[in-house]
Amino acid sequence: RLVRLNQAIAKCAQNKRAARATEIFTQLLAEGLKPTAPTFGALVNAAVRVGDLEKAEAWLAEAKRHGVVPGVATYTALLKGLCEAGRMPQA
């Protein structure tokens, strides 16, 4: 079930539907599932794709609160967003 929800979040990211990705994350937690690195990678990517870098950074902090170590894909998405926003010093 977790894999399918992660896939759904990733699909939302591809389609720039960050709000829907957040809804699916809420559903994941409500079902008692534990988010993983791919979960947060997709959420960060969704936020970046809609230009919401603050939310992307919040998802990174949320991952840490859940004891999840973000993967390379998560940091790559965040770096991409920072670069596209002209925030090179933060990258």
Side-chain angles (χ1 to χ4, degrees):
R1 177 83 177 135
L2 177 62
V3 171
R4 276 190 276 156
L5 291 174
N6 282 348
Q7 289 170 340
I9 293 170
K11 187 71 168 174
C12 289
Q14 289 174 345
N15 293 315
K16 297 183 179 183
R17 297 184 64 208
R20 178 67 184 133
T22 300
E23 290 172 7
I24 295 169
F25 178 75
T26 301
Q27 176 186 350
L28 181 151
L29 294 179
E31 292 181 17
L33 299 171
K34 294 185 189 281
T36 60
T39 307
F40 288 106
L43 289 164
V44 168
N45 189 35
V48 166
R49 290 181 62 90
V50 298
D52 190 347
L53 295 178
E54 287 73 28
K55 185 65 175 178
E57 291 169 341
W59 283 124
L60 198 58
E62 182 78 8
K64 292 175 184 175
R65 277 193 294 280
H66 281 274
V68 174
V69 177
V72 172
T74 304
Y75 286 108
T76 300
L78 186 57
L79 284 171
K80 177 184 176 214
L82 290 169
C83 291
E84 288 176 352
R87 293 169 57 181
M88 295 296 287
Q90 289 178 299

